[in-house]
Amino acid sequence: MEKIILLLSITSLFAGLTSSAQTKISGQVYSTEGNQTLAGVTVLVKGSHTGTITDALGKFSIAAKRGDTLVLTFLGYNKKEISADDKNVLHITLSATINDLNSVVVVGYGSQKKSDVTGAISSISTKALQEVPVTNITQMLQGRAAGMDVVAQGNKPGDGMSVRIRGRRSFNAGNDPLYVVDGIPITGGFNDINPSDIESIEVLKDASATAIYGSRGANGVIIVSTKRGKLGKTTVSYNSYYGVSHILKYPDIMNGAEFAEYKRESRRAVINPATGKPQYDDSDPEADQKLFEPVELESIAQGRSTNYPKMMIHNGHSQNHDLSVSGGSENTKFNVSLGYFNDVGIIPGQDFTRYTSRINIDQKISNRFTIGMSTLGSYSERNGKDVNPYGSGADFGALTENPLGIPYDDKGNLIFHPTSDGLRSNPLADIVPGAVINREKRFRLLSNVFGEANILNGLKFRMNFSPDLTEDRTGNFRGRYTNARNLGDPSASNSEYFTFAYTWENILTYKKVISQKHSIDITGLYSVQNSQEESSGIDVASLPVESLEYYNLGAASIINGVSSSYEKWSILSYMARINYVFDNRFLLTLTGRADGSSKFARGKHWGFFPSAALAWNIINEKFMVNNSLFSNLKFRISYGETGNEGIPPYQTDGLLTRTKYDFDGAAAFGYSPSSIRNNNLRWETTTTLNAGVDFSILNNRISGSLEVYQSKTTDLLLPMLLPITSGYNSILSNVGSKRNRGIEVSLSTINISSGNDNGFEWSTDLNLFTNKEEILELSQGKVDDVGNLRFIGYPSVVYYDYVKTGIWQLGQEKEAEKYSSIVGGIKVKDVNGNGVIDPNDRQILGTDVPKLIGGMTHRFKYKGVDLSVVTFARFGSMISSPIYGAFRFLSGRVNQYNVNYWTKNNPTNAFPEPNSSLETPLFGSTLQYFDGSFVKVRNISLGYTFPAHLASKIRAQSLRVYISVQNPFVFSPYTSKYNGMDPEDPTLSTPPSRLFLGGINVKF
Amino acid sequence: MNKLSFLAIATCFAISSCSKLLNEDVRSQITDDYISTEEGFENAVNAGYSFLKAFYGGDEYGASITVFGTDLFTNGFDGGIKYLNTYDANLNPRNAACNAIWNSLYMAINTCNAAINRAPGIGGMDENLKNVRVAECRFLRAEYYFLLVQLFGPVPLKLQETRGIDREATRAPLQAVYDSIIEDLNDAVQTLPVEASDYGRATKPAAEHLLAKVYLTKASSAAKQQDDYDNAAKYAENVINNYNFKLLDDYSKIFEEGAGEKNSEVIWSVQNSKDFLTVGLGNTLHLYFIMKYDDLPGLKRDIQNGRPYARFKPTVFTLQQLFDRQHDGRFEKIFKRVFYCNNPGTFKNNHGETITLNTGDTAIYLSDRKLTADELKRSDSKYSVYNPEEQTERVFPVLNKFLDPERPDMNEMRGSRDFLAMRLSETYLIAAEALMMTGQKDKAVKYINIVRRRAAKTGHTDAETTNNKLAMEITPDQLNIDFILDERGRELLGELTRWFDLVRTGKLIERVKKYNPVAAANIKPYHILRPIPQDQIDRSSTEMEQNEGY
């Protein structure tokens, strides 16, 4: 069979080229990267007209004599000459030319040469992936690709990132991209994957690239490929680092004396109506005695001040160790790795530890069959994810603790209530080991088993089956001496999620090159995705003994709640794709995918998502042959539809909610209607038009691409708001539409190059992009939904509030009162000029969407030394800092940032006068909005690779050592002008830190 | 090739069985068909009750909208819904309190409608039981509409369960709303048993009490009819005369926590228990009347004194004028004015004196009158004394009716106390008010005096007590609407009725201006109704009018 095919291909395609010869030389051609066979390589016998090209498996056979020289040429690869020696079958590898046009890009359900790609795809190179030591995949993505906005969701060990590709489309169906690991779509749990196992990441952005993921492609697709074994000698690699983290900076809060004065001022502001005197009367010599309690008076007298935020922070540390063994023979290729990662945060009790193992095997059974598997096993333990002893609002936290209180008594024991304020327990009590436990343990087993058969020449069938098991348990405990219990008996809870999901895919591919000019690549798919989640939990209080933690919930005398749940959804899919390449010049991709999702109403299960893309490789046109400027030039245009089904299941059924009641103590649970049936619920659809150009000039010194796009999302899965007289607040429906438009620029430049491997080289990667997000219609048409802060023409997150214009000054009493404020209080603008301040005076102050986002990486290399600097920036967004808008801000009860507040002697317009009769200042929410622009240097890394002869002394193939600093600098108005800590995560529940580390990469 | 064909066949087989996967498999949730079963119907009825908590103590909205902003209470120091007391610009159609109340009441009504509508289709259920349950739901629906109509005036009248997208909402005429309430209650009066199978379910006397109050309110509304007061009196007297309800001898026993809540003068109460699995929101009323005691010398927060939310501060009128302190025992029984030391040490008190306190010593005394310099000197060296003019939004006498020291810890908000929504003493006062309005002052006075005699201060001797009781009695010429309001104030202080009482009697503006200086500045005639939530108006596909003034 094989021979026949071979013969056919040779005779049909190259009959004209063959000539009579004495000997047959045959061989197979591979690429050096990825070890893939190369089809279509021209093979010539030097000095003759004899020639052939390789078939779909990279094989060729040519009439030549022993000793002849064969010349192999292939677009995008370096020309190679090889002597036809006495081996019968030659094994030849070609290396890609520097402009990596031929580097292979992983696309959905397959891979393509970069030059054949028609869609908007950003690749993140292995080099970039290894540059910054990170905890999970999402962190690898920050600042790396145009169109991808990646923002930290917190600073705790194990915290992930929010990843948005080309803005937000959806309100309710989620905006997270689809992650595809080794071909299998996964949901969540990115902390389970060891970043060191990742070979490459591709980001699919336009409909041409994502439509083959149909209903799950609307938010972009991130394709992650893990390292697989390669043909050759077995290598052992060991990568390791250890680092120490410090808080980036301490916040400037009031010290004891400042706090005392602020507390006094908060009482000066309040006049006692009966006496007409202020609550704090400066003329009264006993005023301090009346206001402060003994411990405060003592602190004032001694000039003593407790800095709780400082006392709570210690140095963290972070370490990572990976050991991997990789290799392969003709038939078996393998990559096995073990990983250990441990990150201890700067707040005691917050840490993340992960153990991973990965086994990737490819086994060739015969010429026709290959089987293989990828298996990830991961176990992790995370502490302190949901606890915020540093600061979490007015009632608790080190940031707002009264600095006049003292944390320890004479004997060094913690004082549980440092002051008489009953709500404010000592924040240091919460970090006593064992007092507060919040521990998540996670186990994941994600496998992909595949079998592949070459049915006919170019026709392949592949079946993937991927079971994905996750077990996630969280235990919580709060002892008696914690803020949560405040001397009540201990409470505890545990919860467990067990998820079993699987993906089953059947993929048929056919590749054919017809008369050298027409290349066709067809892919067909049938797949099933299914997920079942079971959960249970119990929440109790009044445990008799602290040491029980959450391991004996039955001992508790109060049961707050018991729960369990079951959730299941499925997606069935059919997909077909045709890639057609004409003469390496014109490229066409047509895709259609039909998805059926169980989440939608009967009869509305199925959605069809087509896309089409065209590309023109101008560089391959004849008229470009003599151009010396461009080494690559390609135009692309694509149009298509993708869907979103990311809502929880069971939204189409009218559901009931459990209610609680009792009759004289006897339980009387009930069920009340909570959602209306929606028999019309269907897919949310995004239609995207994308145009792009890829270029490379000056002998590849500058290369890059430019993309312009517009996407429109219709049938938004949005609650249609109902008048509540119906008994319902809303019904999830397909209403409204949204639009995203943007421009993306990616550039890679080699700024200085000496031309040889050991010389000085400076290169830069830069990406810049902007995305404009607009709501076009909501459930009531082009009408703002003020209640949910959704406005036509604006992004889905806006800051909508009164406009602060200053502080009411002395002498403006009448006016202040007229505008619902007081002297020393915040002055807001009467926008509609109706003489009173009412909700109609609120304005859209800004949005969280930046005007410009960018990432820049510089790499320097000289001899064995390498240096890289990774930066990330966002400009023009607005952030809301909850610290400034907090409950009890400037109320004279809890501590604050040391702000410039108004007093009779300090007529500032910055912050209002502290006032003990106001829990928050009048219009206090106007104080929390800031410019969120920043430039962050994420990482600076300096490495040295030992010369081979030195490395070989420890029997190593290669050896590199490096030092690196993470988060060295932040430049932003929020941190420099407003005492902010982190413009990326202004909540401050855990402050940002800076990590110094040293590491080693060694390969045997 | 065999292997391949096997694979192909297996694949085809697997594919054909997969399409079933698209049918949803609902297991851990319950769909609305359930209500059409006997069990589900019972559950829907239970759910109808659960919404009572949303208004009566589940959060601070129901209390805030009825307690302060009146002649009896003004705002304390804490809280974000002071606009219900101050009647300032924040009392607008977007305010959180009115929205929350409106929303939960209409959700409650839809739940009741579901049970009432589905009942006829439920087979196999004892018809008598089914009728009782339907009558319970009609009682609850009447209760919910009665709250709505008192707060918002004419409101949309929805009497059918919503089964699809329904965006229409128009305000029904006031008459229609009252007609519906009365029709529901008439059915309840006819069908409900005198004593319920489970304590806490609606009963015939509870329906009569409510009906009496509905007529009393309707009688002074735009929907009034000639015989409203007669009907009010009739149903109130039914409750008084036809059942075994009886006033307790001691006023303070009414609010005894635990078993004491189930006493002979309770006609109907909203249920709460100590079991957190059933308590839901619980009764949080214990929080709101407590002054900010825990930062004062010698005191720290504890369960006994409660968690101080400091929302409702009695007005000077309540503290100094409302009660006849010589003969009326209620003032002393319902106000806590002494705090005992639970945090010993040496402190400076509010007058700058150094005081040393041991556990159990008096730490704070809130005086009801200005102490003489001499008196002050004597007590001041021992504890903190707050003269009336020194009492502020933070420091004021605490209404003790709802305090809940049996909570498991001091910061727990979910209280376990039943809310005594209908008490016999109120029935007397309803009867008295209705009778007075129809000119039967003698009879009215008879009922009022029953309530007043019970309230009399217990003397040191029986003779003194008898004397007090006599002194509490009034004569018909003393009776007028202001007297009724004062008496309701004394008897029902803080019990979530005051704002309704003032509106019903047309005295809201007058008495607020007179007795609540904080509210006096802003209150306007249109404040006798609350604003319809803007969301309701915005989301309705039909035109919906806002109340005048908002």
Side-chain angles (χ1 to χ4, degrees), chain B residues 4 24 27 67 113 284 297 316 326 329 362 411 417-418 467 483 495 498:
Chain B
L4 277 180
E24 289 216 299
R27 291 202 203 174
V67 171
N113 286 343
T284 65
V316 171
Q326 198 187 339
T362 297
N411 288 331
R417 303 194 58 162
D418 291 350
N467 193 36
F483 187 90
E495 291 181 52
R498 190 60 178 180

Side-chain angles (χ1 to χ4, degrees), chain A residues 318-462:
Chain A
S318 186
Q319 58 179 316
N320 186 60
H321 304 279
D322 291 302
L323 182 67
S324 69
V325 183
S326 164
S329 65
E330 242 350 277
N331 291 331
T332 309
K333 300 184 186 89
F334 68 95
N335 188 334
V336 178
S337 73
L338 292 172
Y340 167 76
F341 175 77
N342 171 238
D343 185 7
V344 175
I346 56 172
I347 290 181
Q350 298 184 354
D351 57 62
F352 175 66
T353 309
R354 173 181 59 211
Y355 305 84
T356 52
S357 73
R358 171 169 288 279
I359 305 168
N360 288 356
I361 294 177
D362 301 272
Q363 173 71 43
K364 198 167 158 188
I365 296 172
S366 70
N367 282 337
R368 201 186 291 283
F369 291 105
T370 310
I371 60 162
M373 70 179 295
S374 315
T375 297
L376 161 78
S378 171
Y379 171 75
S380 61
E381 196 174 306
R382 189 171 173 191
N383 286 299
K385 181 175 81 166
D386 303 320
V387 294
N388 300 303
Y390 197 71
S392 65
D395 290 346
F396 182 60
L399 267 181
T400 46
E401 182 61 23
N402 182 343
L404 294 172
I406 50 169
Y408 298 103
D409 64 15
D410 301 338
K411 291 172 194 136
N413 298 318
L414 275 174
I415 300 171
F416 187 65
H417 284 115
T419 64
S420 66
D421 192 330
L423 275 180
R424 309 273 331 178
S425 63
N426 191 334
L428 299 174
D430 273 45
I431 56 168
V432 168
V436 172
I437 299 173
N438 168 232
R439 187 184 294 137
E440 182 190 16
K441 291 178 177 177
R442 231 179 117 81
F443 170 76
R444 184 149 193 197
L445 193 63
L446 170 62
S447 287
N448 177 18
V449 183
F450 70 88
E452 202 173 88
N454 289 307
I455 301 169
L456 291 166
N457 183 23
L459 181 66
K460 257 194 221 172
F461 175 73
R462 182 180 166 112

Side-chain angles (χ1 to χ4, degrees), chain B residues 319-334:
Chain B
L319 294 174
Q320 299 192 8
Q321 286 168 257
L322 185 60
F323 292 87
D324 164 11
R325 302 290 304 285
Q326 198 187 339
H327 304 109
D328 194 333
R330 286 174 293 196
F331 183 86
E332 289 302 333
K333 287 174 179 173
I334 59 175

Side-chain angles (χ1 to χ4, degrees), chain A residues 249 251-253 884 897-898 974-981:
Chain A
K249 77 169 193 191
D252 178 18
I253 53 169
Y884 286 98
Y897 275 180
N898 193 12
Y974 179 56
T975 49
S976 61
K977 286 190 209 154
Y978 304 111
N979 192 19
M981 302 273 284

